[in-house]
């Protein structure tokens, strides 16, 4: 688990977790600072696409230079959006981020962060949220995805993936769509890291684990004695589980270019622990010391009017404010606003409108 006191300049650090729709990212973003994280990814974000409040929160509390991607999931009848993802790449690494892509079908199942190295060395980071297999609740994420698949077939006259009984299957569809991403990554010469909530216990060797083994992916986390996998989820009303994974391609693993660990602490409201992944950028992306330094330690001026009362920039800014204040007669407007507010307050106090 990285910490800003032991973080090395030659690594790019990633924090990934299921944030369980946490509306307040303060504790999560505080953890990214504590661990000197460059790439933050959250699944099951439950936000609207390009949500400004979240965008502003990330810019102010993660990294003001961050490239940010916020993608909506699938909305329930009463407006809540299940699924969805957040991704942010900052602290200079935004210069190496070529894109942050959302779910190709706009269902909020995954996001793809693309990082460019040198000499055609590329790295794609995929974070996914596989639906919990809840078929009983009509408005569960699983059933909402089935509805989306039905609608997609009607609109596009295309048959999507089905299970052995002929029913539309969000899980098989997700793995099929991931296969396409892996194929595109191979064409682009990119190695891949996949992380997220698979909603499948590693020790049970289910369809997702079989899929990752068929694709030559390697588990980066160390199994423990609690669950038989790497325990990552501690729900309040159930047993701990190992449903959050971190995987990578064999080339990355064999080169010793990537490592990962789970922080067994509660961050925010989520029952899921954050997973930290570190990539040796000099080894794999073939960046020089100068490249890494630029990404890691470049100082950005966050406030262009920063300074004391005698600073020239502050004085010029005050003059500009004064000019526009007089031009728009703000003093008179302020008095008028205060008078209206007082009248409104008095009416409320008397029981009026």
């Amino acid at each position: 688990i990285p910490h800003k006191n032991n973080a090395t300049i030659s690594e790019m650090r990633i924090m990934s977790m299921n944030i369980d729709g946490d509306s307040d990212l303060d504790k999560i973003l505080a953890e990214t600072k504590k661990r000197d994280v460059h790439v933050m990814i959250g699944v099951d974000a439950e936000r609207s696409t390009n949500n400004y409040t979240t965008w502003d929160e990330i810019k102010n509390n993660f990294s003001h230079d961050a490239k940010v991607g916020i993608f909506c999931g699938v909305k329930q009848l009463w407006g809540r959006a299940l699924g969805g993802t957040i991704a942010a790449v900052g602290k200079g690494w935004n210069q190496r981020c070529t894109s942050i892509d959302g779910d190709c079908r706009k269902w909020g199942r995954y996001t793809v962060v693309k990082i460019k190295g040198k000499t055609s060395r590329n790295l794609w980071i995929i974070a996914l949220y596989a639906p919990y297999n809840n078929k009983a609740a009509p408005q569960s994420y699983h059933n909402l995805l089935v509805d989306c698949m039905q609608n997609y077939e009607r609109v596009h006259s295309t048959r999507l993936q089905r299970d052995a009984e002929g029913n539309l299957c969000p899980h098989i569809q997700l793995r099929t769509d991931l296969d396409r991403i892996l194929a595109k990554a191979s064409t682009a010469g990119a190695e891949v890291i996949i992380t997220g909530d698979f909603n499948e216990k590693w020790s049970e060797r289910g369809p997702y684990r079989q899929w990752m083994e068929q694709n030559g992916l390697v588990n980066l986390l160390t199994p423990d004695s609690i669950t038989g996998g790497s325990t990552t989820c501690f729900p309040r009303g159930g047993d701990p589980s190992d449903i959050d994974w971190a995987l990578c391609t064999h080339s990355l693993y064999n080169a010793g270019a990537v490592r990962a660990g789970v922080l067994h602490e509660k961050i925010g409201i989520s029952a899921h622990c954050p997973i930290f992944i570190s990539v040796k950028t000099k080894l794999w992306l073939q960046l020089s010391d100068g490249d890494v330094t630029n990404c890691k330690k470049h100082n950005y001026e966050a406030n262009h009017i920063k300074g004391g009362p005698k600073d020239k920039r502050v004085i010029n800014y005050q003059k500009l404010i004064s000019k526009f204040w007089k031009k728009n007669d703000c003093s008179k407007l302020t008095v008028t606003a205060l008078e209206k507010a007082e009248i409104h307050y008095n009416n409320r106090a008397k029981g009026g409108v």
Side-chain angles (χ1 to χ4, degrees), residues 7-271:
T8 63
I9 197 171
S10 61
E11 289 185 332
M12 178 180 70
R13 288 171 290 283
I14 305 160
M15 175 176 153
S16 168
M17 69 179 292
N18 179 334
I19 64 176
D20 272 343
D22 195 342
S23 60
D24 186 354
L25 295 180
D26 280 354
K27 292 182 179 179
I28 294 172
L29 294 176
E31 198 66 30
T32 67
K33 285 188 176 295
K34 181 179 178 181
R35 308 293 169 183
D36 199 15
V37 167
H38 305 112
V39 181
M40 182 203 74
I41 306 176
V43 301
D44 195 16
E46 298 187 9
R47 281 161 170 79
S48 58
T49 297
N50 297 327
N51 180 278
Y52 175 76
T53 302
T54 301
W55 180 90
D56 187 61
E57 196 174 2
I58 290 171
K59 288 283 187 176
N60 285 315
N61 300 313
F62 172 63
S63 178
H64 70 89
D65 67 346
K67 180 175 285 188
V68 182
I70 305 169
F71 303 99
C72 187
V74 183
K75 288 190 177 182
Q76 295 175 311
L77 289 175
W78 45 88
R80 180 185 176 190
L82 301 184
T85 58
I86 297 172
V89 184
K91 301 177 184 176
W93 280 95
N94 55 298
Q95 301 168 22
R96 291 280 171 190
C97 178
T98 58
S99 70
I100 300 176
D101 300 331
D103 186 335
C104 66
R105 304 184 191 278
K106 296 181 170 42
W107 298 342
R109 301 170 298 168
Y110 63 81
T111 194
V112 184
V113 176
K114 299 177 181 178
I115 304 292
K116 184 173 181 59
K118 286 190 173 180
T119 62
S120 301
R121 290 293 186 100
N122 299 308
L123 177 67
W124 290 14
I125 306 161
I126 304 170
L128 65 87
Y129 176 50
Y132 179 68
N133 208 27
N134 181 0
K135 298 179 181 180
Q139 292 289 291
S140 70
Y141 188 44
H142 177 279
N143 287 338
L144 289 174
L145 287 175
V146 171
D147 291 342
C148 288
M149 293 174 71
Q150 290 173 341
N151 186 60
Y152 190 93
E153 287 192 333
R154 284 195 299 268
V155 172
H156 298 278
S157 300
T158 301
R159 189 172 174 82
L160 297 180
Q161 298 298 319
R162 283 167 160 75
D163 59 21
E165 286 74 39
N167 300 313
L168 287 166
C169 181
H171 296 286
I172 299 176
Q173 187 63 54
L174 174 57
R175 293 193 292 270
T176 300
D177 290 339
L178 289 172
D179 282 334
R180 295 192 181 100
I181 297 173
L182 292 178
K184 289 179 180 178
S186 178
T187 302
E191 297 300 325
V192 176
I193 293 172
I194 303 181
T195 182
D197 182 354
F198 287 76
N199 265 313
E200 176 181 293
K201 295 179 180 178
W202 177 262
S203 56
E204 292 181 353
R205 205 180 186 86
Y208 282 101
R209 181 171 174 182
Q210 294 175 38
W211 170 84
M212 60 81 67
E213 290 174 345
Q214 289 166 4
N215 280 281
L217 299 170
V218 182
N219 182 12
L220 289 168
L221 301 177
T222 304
D224 55 45
S225 58
I226 301 174
T227 59
S230 183
T231 307
T232 58
C233 184
F234 296 83
R236 282 174 292 181
D239 297 328
S241 64
D242 55 355
I243 56 177
D244 305 281
W245 304 351
L247 316 170
C248 75
T249 47
H250 263 290
S251 297
L252 279 175
Y253 184 79
N254 292 338
V258 61
R259 55 185 179 152
V262 180
L263 177 66
H264 290 119
E265 292 182 11
K266 184 175 178 60
I267 310 297
I269 68 167
S270 178

